[in-house]
Every structure is written in C-alpha cells, then in structure tokens.
Amino acid sequence: MSDPKRRGQIQQAPENFLSQDLIADLNQNGMDDTRRGFMRNGFMAALGGAVGLGASMNVLASAEGDPAILEKQVWQTTLGKNVATMPYGAPSIYEANLIRRESPGLTRVSAASVAFTPLQGLFGIITPNGLHFERQHQGWYNIDPEKHRLMVNGLVKHNRVFTMNDLMRLPSVSRIHFIECGANTGLEWGNVAVPTVQYTHGMLSCCEFTGVPLAALLEECGADLKQGKYLLAEGGDGSGMTRTINLSDVLNEAIVAWGMNGEMLRPENGFPLRLVVPGVQGVSWVKWLRRLEVGDMPYATKDEAVHYNDLMPDGMARQYTSIQECKSVITTPSGGQQLLDKGFYNVSGLAWSGRGKVKRVDVSFDGGNNWKTARLETPVLSKALTRFNIDWVWDGSPAILQSRAIDDTGYVQPSIKLLRDVRGTRSIYHNNAIQSWKVGTNGEVSNVQVG
Amino acid sequence: MFKLAKFAKSTLFVATTCFVIGSAVAQNSSTRFPGIGRVATPAEVAAWDIDVRPDFKGLPKGSGSVEQGQKLWESKCSVCHGTFGESNEIFTPIIGGTSADDIKTGRVASLSDRKQPQRTTIMKVATVSSLWDYIYRAMPWNAPRSLTPDDTFALVAYLLSMAEVVPDDFVLSNTNIAEVQKRMPNRNGMTLKHGMWNSKGTPDVHATACMHNCVQFVQIGSELPDYARNAQGNIAEQNRQYGPFRGSDSTKPPLAKLPGAAGEGLAHASETHAISKGPAALFKSENCTACHAMNSKLVGPSVADIASKYQGQSGALDKLMAKVKNGGSGVWGAIPMPPQAQLSEEDRKTLVTWVLSGGK
C-alpha cells in the first residue's frame, strides 16, 4: 500500500479515518491491541481512497509510524563485518550507479576514448579518485614506478635523469586544482546532443595534487629560462603524448605531481607521475610524464596542430588555445533527473575559472530573464572548482535553470549565442557557455539551449 | 614561490664538478638538492629525445619514396585509415578536402566554405613536422615506435602524394622537407593572435551580468532529440536512487505527471546493483576491444567473423587459445595479433569459448 521509495517521509494521515465511536472509546479506555487493530483497518480503508484522489496527497505510511523506525533492522540486530574486510575500501553497494561512463558512439575504440565523471551525484569540490575522468590516447598501463624515469633536457645546463625515488625526496607542495578537457561540452557546440551533465560537462575533475614545483625542478637542472620560453612535456604511453607548455605563463604554478587526494595517482590518471598545469586544458597535464624539454619555440605536436585548436568562421584556426575560461554548471537538478514533488530544493552546482578565482555565481530559474546570486561554499580557491548553492521552491510550473559564473578578472560566463556570434558553430573545443536545464511540469529535467 | 635561476652560482659549481659520463651515479650539479638525480648519458638522451619541431630541429637523417610508403601503408596503416587515408571507420580521415589552389594560397578553402562534410588531418595540419613526429612516435596504432626514420619519411611522402602536395615519384628526405613545408595546404591557416594562450590573455567574448528583466522573450533554440533520450543508456541507472534527484527512466517515454506517491517511472535500486561480470566484461577489461568489435572489422576481425570462420571445427578452442597466448598473424591480414601472455589459462579459455560462440 505505501510506496517503499517514499518511506522516509513522515506523511499526514488522511482525515476522518477513525469513526466517532472509536475516538470516544480511545478517549475513555486508552490504547490496546484490539483498538490498535481497529485504527490500522480504518487507516488502510481511508488510504485506499486517498491515493485515488491524487498522487501528491501526503499519507502516513501506517497508523503507528514508519516501519523504518518501528521495525528492527538487520543491521541493528546482528553482527556486522570485521575491520579491514575491504582493506582499501569501496563505496556502498547503494552507490553503484555513480561511476565513470563512456558515451556510446563517441569513439570506436575504447583505448582512445573518454570516460566521464558523474558530476550529477558528487558533493563539494573534490572528485573521488575512482571517479576522476579518463581520457586515453593509446590505452593505459600500470607503469612500474621502479622503472619510471623523468628526463629533463633541451636548454638546460645538463640533461638530467630522475627516478621516482629521487623526485619523492624533493620538497613537495599540495594544491587543489580543477582539470578540464578542452573538448568538455564540445558535443554541444552545434546543438543539444546528450542528456545529462555527466556527458555535457563530465570531462572535469578537481583534486588535491602533490608533487615538486616545476620551477624548482627546472632550476635544479639549470634551465635557461631567458631563451627557453616553452616546455615540451612528453608522456610514457604508446602515444608518447606531447604538448607544448607556455612556460612563461605557468612556471610559478605547475607541479610535477605523483599524489592525488592523499594517495598516489591512479594508473588511468598517469601513475606514477603527471604534469599539473593549473588553469590549462587537461591534455597539457601530460600523464606518465617521462620527459621535459626546455625550448625556444612551440613544438606543433599532433594534438596542438590537428586537434585542440579552435576553427573560426573564416577558416582560420586558433592554435595553442589552452586556458579554460570561466564556466559553471548546475549539477543538481540536471538533465535526465526527476524531481519527486513540488516544494523546496537545494539547487547546487560548480563554477571554475582558468584565470583565477570564482568571484560570483548567479542563478536564473526563468531562462535568463531574472537572476539571483548563489552562495559560494568555501574554500574558494584559484583555478579550482567552487561549489555554489541556492534555495528554490518549485511551484510545479515549467522552469529553465541556468548558472552564470564571474571570475576575479571580471569575465562573465557567456551565453551559447554570444559565444557562437564570435566563434561560429563548428568549433569543438573550449565551449564555456551557460548551460540551461528545463524542468517540465512532470518534474523531469532535460537539456535545452536557450536562444 | 621559487625565485628562478640564479645561474651564476650553479655554473661555477658545475665547472668544478667532475662528471663520470655513463656512470649511473654521476655527480649532482646542484647546490640545492645534492644527491638527487644524475646526468643523462648521450645514448639516453638520443633514445628519448625524438621530437621534431616545425623548424625540423630533431629530424633524423633519412629518406623514403612514395612507392615505399604505399607498401608500408597498405600493410600497416590502411586497416584503420583506408587505402587512401580516407577511412572514417575508426579514426577521422587523414586525406581529402584540399585542392591545388590551397597549395598555392596556404589556406584550405573548404575550412570556411563548409563544402567538406568532415575536417581531415591534411586540411588542418599546418606543419609537415607534426605529421612526421606523430607517425614516428606513435604509429602504427597497435605497435607504436616500431617504424624507422626511413619508414616514416616514406609514409609521410605517401600521405602527401595522396593529397597531391608532392608528385607520385617523390622521395622525401631530411634535406628537402623544408621545401615541402612551403606547399602544405593549410600552412597559413593557424593563428596565435588570441587570448587563450596565457592566463592574462584578452577574452574574445564580453558578456554582461544583467540581473533583472534581461531578456524579453525566452526561446528554446535546441532540445535533446527524441532518439537521443536513451542513447547513453538508461539514465535511471546512472543516478543515485535515493535522495531528491532520481534519474528518469529513459527506456520509457517521459512521465505524464509528477511521480508523487505512486513513484511511477522511478527506478528501483535493487534492479541496477548487479555488476557485470563474465566473458563480455573480460573481453572489455582485457582490452580486446582495442582491436576487435562485435560485428565490424576494426584492426582485427570481428567476434562474429571469428565465430563463423571456426564454426564446427574440431580443435578450434585449443588452436585459438594458443594463438591468444603466443600471438599470430596472416589469417586475417597483415596486422599481427600481439601475444597476450598476461592472461590466465582460465581467462583465455573463457574468452576464446565466448568468442567462438559469437559472443553469446
């Protein structure tokens, strides 16, 4: 009779389910098992009618209360599992739906594909390591850290080699930064293409990275930073991933990192060593980092000559577009989700900027006509995700939810129309437009573009 | 954080330090972190420093003809990229969409006139070094770093001949590659004049933060097409199944009304907690999908093709189990199957049995 998925709610009993005689009897003689039985029967009879009247009517699960409270549960009455039953731990089995997912049809081969972070279910700003998005170019390996080497060459006093043992002896820093693939939200340049925030924005993660500052390592090698304005970072995978780093810009912030959220990097995120380049698109955070070459010109490697550049309407491509501009997205509620009922909701999302700190996030519930400023949760860190929250009472009428972030340079996140007016519709990368989610009268949230 | 490079001090130190070239314990040149790292030997640098820049610094000596390139291409590359670099089956096409006029102007016209349905590599790439560097370091797909410099010159020559950048009898070498660069169809098609190359760059869009009555009319320009509703799988199974925001059941049409007490359309947690195991999951987790698809040919034959070839053959199981373990070639074309020695006997048997059944 009662809906198991609504059990947690204390719901109002239907009116007049007790007869006047029973009320009088109860007042006079108090409660006993017989009278309790009468009450339950009366309640059930009334409930049958109430459900028929309307789904939104609040009804008590039983006359006495919620079975989740009244009945003893197995976890209260039996012995639980031993410590270290799961020595490295794992999420609850009830969290099995929140996993990284590939988007079917995006690529033909999984060794050169993407698995997206389930932003729709995450809290705060830190991405759990098991859910950090993956982008592989030629498959990943578990690289033996004893066999991993980092070479520094090019415009340096002496070409040098470091082992992991060497690197992990060095003075380290730990900093929280977001990483976003330059192609994140790229599927949506032309039109709405995918249903949920996992696929629209899930090439996005944020972790505390630990490692040696790049500047310290280059100084140690005697790098010539007057001539050497560029750095070639090279990975140890089959693709030998190479990217030019604009050294003059990121030298004071980049990290040669081995740690991620307190543990070593996960293999699919570059174990045992990756470059961390705050504010810059993910492809430059070269995984399985094995070589750094200091040079005096950009390298035009495949991924910066053929991919990761922005095609403008006149056919000219902007090369070495790297900075991830200010962006935000509402994660709950978001596309593909279902609101249960009218009433109060905490609307929550993420904002970030590759140029610094998020200064403000505004939220609109009417498709961008009127905006309210959301609460920013601490910490608000430079080049890191910032969590925002705002109260919302949904009255059941259609709504379009949007968020708009502003960073401390004063840059305001643009609408998709404004972005297309400048860059056209044929780009793939660096789509930082305002995201719109439509809430229908049935409570279903869907992905739409406004304008 | 770190004041950069006071080089005078370390230079003096380097000058007075004796290096034992080739020794694994060469002296440290540093004053700050003594005992950390060592000098790389010339052979080590040569082994790893393989990048080739647009000014051709790093390009090894060598040469290769279009004809040699074609032979290599057909045996090592065409399975993924098509005989003429035109295939869109696995990766985006390499060749197509450029013209003789583009070679004159250095700008690919089809990037702006939109006549080409898909942007090919040759339409986009501005520098021939980018092709050379990538092919040498990362190709073929399933055997990266197996090409010689001469192979690479030949393959680049073949690609450029298909794009009509060089004639069919051309021999590309380290001495003439700079001349070839002057004929690259999109050599003038890239710009660095934009604000996204460093963090202090000037943005190209300038939105304003209007707060009230910002738009007269809210118009939805694009919605998720109906066919895409379930294209990423059932969204109900991709959301938390308790709490305020459930996933909608995308295997069914949208709800007619709010779920309310009836809970219609909300997925049950118990329905989606099973974690997939068995041969199909093993096939994926062991990375067989990098080369084999269920029904279409990728680098290797499809599961369906293998099953049909060996249907009813006695000894097929043992034969294929040995092949998976040791690798093989020649049955399905020139691309070899690499040995999969990491698989246990049991996993190999599970996989081969499953493949022979056509993945059932």
Side-chain angles (χ1 to χ4, degrees):
Chain A
M1 183 64 70
S2 67
D3 171 28
K5 290 178 289 300
R6 307 275 293 178
R7 270 182 180 165
Q9 297 194 337
I10 294 301
Q11 295 161 336
Q12 195 178 12
E15 289 181 13
N16 304 322
F17 77 98
L18 298 184
S19 69
Q20 291 303 317
D21 290 348
L22 183 58
I23 292 170
D25 186 35
L26 280 166
N27 285 339
Q28 186 143 13
N29 302 312
M31 182 71 81
D32 62 18
D33 280 353
T34 310
R35 293 188 187 94
R36 197 168 276 130
F38 285 140
M39 275 183 71
R40 185 177 294 121
N41 291 341
F43 172 77
M44 292 304 181
L47 186 64
V51 169
L53 286 174
S56 63
M57 182 157 225
N58 290 325
V59 290
L60 189 61
S62 84
E64 295 171 7
D66 184 349
I69 297 171
L70 298 179
E71 294 168 10
K72 290 174 183 165
Q73 307 292 339
V74 66
W75 47 86
Q76 292 176 291
T77 55
T78 54
L79 181 62
K81 290 184 172 64
N82 291 335
V83 297
T85 299
M86 294 194 288
Y88 208 125
S92 162
I93 58 164
Y94 298 104
E95 286 290 277
N97 285 352
L98 277 302
I99 55 173
R100 289 189 287 234
R101 290 176 190 274
E102 279 187 83
S103 184
L106 188 62
T107 59
R108 287 287 299 276
V109 281
S110 290
S113 191
V114 175
F116 298 82
T117 293
L119 298 175
Q120 69 274 19
L122 301 188
F123 311 110
I125 62 172
I126 297 293
T127 311
N129 283 346
L131 297 179
H132 190 296
F133 80 92
E134 274 186 81
R135 165 74 169 109
Q136 311 303 351
H137 295 87
Q138 220 137 325
W140 62 268
Y141 271 99
N142 250 313
I143 291 180
D144 180 351
E146 286 291 346
K147 290 183 182 166
H148 191 71
R149 304 285 181 268
L150 175 68
M151 183 183 289
V152 182
N153 72 325
L155 297 173
V156 294
K157 290 283 176 199
H158 295 281
N159 302 319
R160 294 185 66 77
V161 174
F162 300 90
T163 62
M164 287 307 296
N165 301 334
D166 287 327
L167 294 169
M168 292 172 78
R169 281 167 69 179
L170 293 174
S172 64
V173 295
S174 295
R175 303 219 183 92
I176 296 173
H177 289 297
F178 79 84
I179 169 171
E180 182 184 21
C181 174
N184 201 26
T185 325
L187 291 166
E188 305 268 307
W189 257 111
N191 281 300
V192 170
V194 287
T196 74
V197 73
Q198 181 160 16
Y199 305 109
T200 59
H201 289 75
M203 288 193 272
L204 172 71
S205 297
C206 182
C207 294
E208 184 197 57
F209 293 97
T210 297
V212 58
L214 174 67
L217 198 62
L218 292 183
E219 185 177 13
E220 182 70 6
C221 298
D224 175 359
L225 298 174
K226 281 216 170 76
Q227 293 289 315
K229 297 290 184 202
Y230 305 97
L231 187 71
L232 183 76
E234 183 178 276
D237 59 331
S239 77
M241 170 52 72
T242 33
R243 282 294 305 196
T244 303
I245 310 296
N246 190 356
L247 204 48
S248 54
D249 185 46
V250 303
L251 186 59
N252 290 327
E253 292 189 327
I255 304 169
V256 175
W258 52 83
M260 184 162 104
N261 291 340
E263 63 177 19
M264 286 297 286
L265 291 160
R266 294 286 175 99
E268 57 271 45
N269 299 120
F271 176 87
L273 198 66
R274 88 175 303 171
L275 196 60
V276 167
V277 197
V280 170
Q281 62 189 349
V283 68
S284 295
W285 298 39
V286 171
K287 294 184 286 192
W288 315 288
L289 181 71
R290 74 166 197 181
R291 195 167 69 90
L292 294 168
E293 179 178 316
V294 181
D296 58 3
M297 67 180 287
Y299 289 80
T301 69
K302 187 264 281 178
D303 278 73
E304 52 205 20
V306 178
H307 310 300
Y308 298 94
N309 50 59
D310 300 291
L311 183 65
M312 304 301 283
D314 66 356
M316 188 68 91
R318 291 175 174 174
Q319 195 174 11
Y320 303 111
T321 42
S322 299
I323 303 299
Q324 296 296 108
E325 294 189 307
C326 189
K327 186 167 172 181
S328 69
V329 65
I330 294 170
T331 52
T332 51
S334 58
Q337 290 188 328
Q338 176 71 56
L339 271 60
L340 301 183
D341 210 340
K342 298 172 194 173
F344 182 86
Y345 288 92
N346 179 51
V347 171
S348 187
L350 295 164
W352 61 101
S353 170
R355 290 204 165 96
K357 282 184 188 178
V358 171
K359 193 171 81 183
R360 197 176 95 199
V361 177
D362 301 321
V363 171
S364 172
F365 297 99
D366 61 7
N369 195 28
N370 295 288
W371 298 80
K372 289 177 185 168
T373 298
R375 303 186 298 275
L376 298 188
E377 307 304 332
T378 53
V380 178
L381 299 169
S382 180
K383 302 174 187 180
L385 294 186
T386 298
R387 173 65 65 173
F388 66 86
N389 288 300
I390 190 166
D391 296 351
W392 185 41
V393 178
W394 183 45
D395 64 5
S397 56
I400 295 176
L401 275 55
Q402 300 178 331
S403 65
R404 176 182 69 195
I406 304 171
D407 70 16
D408 60 2
T409 71
Y411 177 90
V412 180
Q413 185 185 1
S415 65
I416 185 72
K417 183 181 181 302
L418 200 56
L419 205 54
R420 287 199 189 116
D421 284 348
V422 175
R423 299 193 201 158
T425 56
R426 298 167 75 224
S427 251
I428 296 169
Y429 303 95
H430 309 116
N431 177 1
N432 67 322
I434 289 171
Q435 171 69 44
S436 304
W437 304 119
K438 185 181 86 173
V439 180
T441 53
N442 60 354
E444 187 165 320
V445 187
S446 58
N447 185 6
V448 298
Q449 288 181 355
V450 169
Chain B
M1 164 99 211
F2 289 89
K3 290 280 178 202
L4 277 173
K6 305 260 181 196
F7 287 118
K9 230 195 294 179
S10 64
T11 308
L12 187 68
F13 190 88
V14 167
T16 58
T17 305
C18 174
F19 291 100
V20 185
I21 300 298
S23 159
V25 289
Q27 293 297 300
N28 195 322
S29 65
S30 152
T31 52
R32 187 162 179 222
F33 306 127
I36 303 292
R38 64 171 175 83
V39 171
T41 70
E44 288 171 337
V45 175
W48 275 15
D49 186 7
I50 61 164
D51 63 90
V52 179
R53 305 199 309 193
D55 62 354
F56 304 110
K57 183 169 174 287
L59 184 71
K61 286 180 181 162
S63 66
S65 68
V66 171
E67 196 185 345
Q68 289 163 332
Q70 183 173 6
K71 280 187 195 142
L72 282 165
W73 182 267
E74 282 168 7
S75 67
K76 292 176 187 284
C77 317
S78 62
V79 63
C80 287
H81 295 293
T83 307
F84 305 104
E86 82 295 352
S87 175
N88 195 27
E89 286 293 299
I90 296 174
F91 302 109
T92 47
I94 296 177
I95 300 300
T98 58
S99 69
D101 207 39
D102 297 342
I103 292 168
K104 279 185 212 150
T105 62
R107 288 286 302 275
V108 170
S110 59
L111 286 172
S112 50
D113 67 16
R114 301 180 171 224
K115 285 176 185 161
Q116 187 71 8
Q118 186 148 22
R119 303 201 285 272
T120 67
T121 299
I122 196 68
M123 283 165 66
K124 293 188 281 185
V125 70
T127 42
V128 67
S129 63
S130 308
L131 289 177
W132 204 101
D133 177 90
Y134 184 66
I135 292 170
Y136 185 59
R137 76 169 53 246
M139 288 293 117
W141 162 252
N142 60 344
R145 300 296 308 278
S146 62
L147 299 169
T148 67
D150 285 349
D151 291 345
T152 310
F153 279 109
L155 286 167
V156 173
Y158 180 60
L159 285 173
L160 294 174
S161 79
M162 286 192 288
E164 297 178 350
V165 174
V166 301
D168 291 348
D169 59 356
F170 194 73
V171 179
L172 181 68
S173 72
N174 58 301
T175 54
N176 65 12
I177 198 168
E179 290 301 309
V180 172
Q181 170 59 34
K182 293 174 188 164
R183 291 174 55 79
M184 290 298 280
N186 203 38
R187 64 186 177 277
N188 300 324
M190 297 277 197
T191 177
L192 266 164
K193 289 180 183 164
H194 59 77
M196 289 170 67
W197 181 213
N198 71 59
S199 60
K200 294 183 180 58
T202 307
D204 58 354
V205 293
H206 301 282
T208 52
C210 170
M211 295 302 282
H212 299 291
N213 299 318
C214 305
V215 281
Q216 289 182 324
F217 182 60
V218 176
Q219 187 179 20
I220 292 179
S222 173
E223 294 192 67
L224 190 72
D226 285 344
Y227 68 79
R229 179 175 163 80
N230 197 44
Q232 267 75 14
N234 187 355
I235 304 304
E237 297 170 1
Q238 302 177 23
N239 276 269
R240 190 167 281 120
Q241 294 189 324
Y242 54 93
F245 305 110
R246 316 292 174 82
S248 42
D249 186 345
S250 56
T251 63
K252 296 180 182 138
L255 302 180
K257 55 181 167 52
L258 278 175
E264 180 200 348
L266 300 180
H268 296 254
S270 56
E271 288 167 5
T272 58
H273 284 155
I275 295 161
S276 71
K277 281 186 180 145
L282 196 61
F283 190 71
K284 195 174 176 199
S285 68
E286 289 300 330
N287 215 19
C288 313
T289 53
C291 297
H292 301 280
M294 290 307 295
N295 292 305
S296 56
K297 181 174 162 56
L298 293 181
V299 178
S302 71
V303 169
D305 285 347
I306 299 169
S308 107
K309 181 181 172 77
Y310 292 99
Q311 193 175 22
Q313 280 188 30
S314 63
L317 180 67
D318 289 343
K319 185 176 163 185
L320 291 192
M321 276 180 68
K323 195 161 217 173
V324 171
K325 185 178 182 180
N326 303 320
S329 66
V331 180
W332 299 95
I335 303 263
M337 159 108 180
Q340 307 294 329
Q342 82 285 4
L343 289 172
S344 70
E345 182 86 5
E346 189 190 346
D347 282 352
R348 265 188 303 128
K349 190 166 186 179
T350 306
L351 278 168
V352 172
T353 307
W354 180 78
V355 167
L356 286 172
S357 77
K360 291 183 181 77

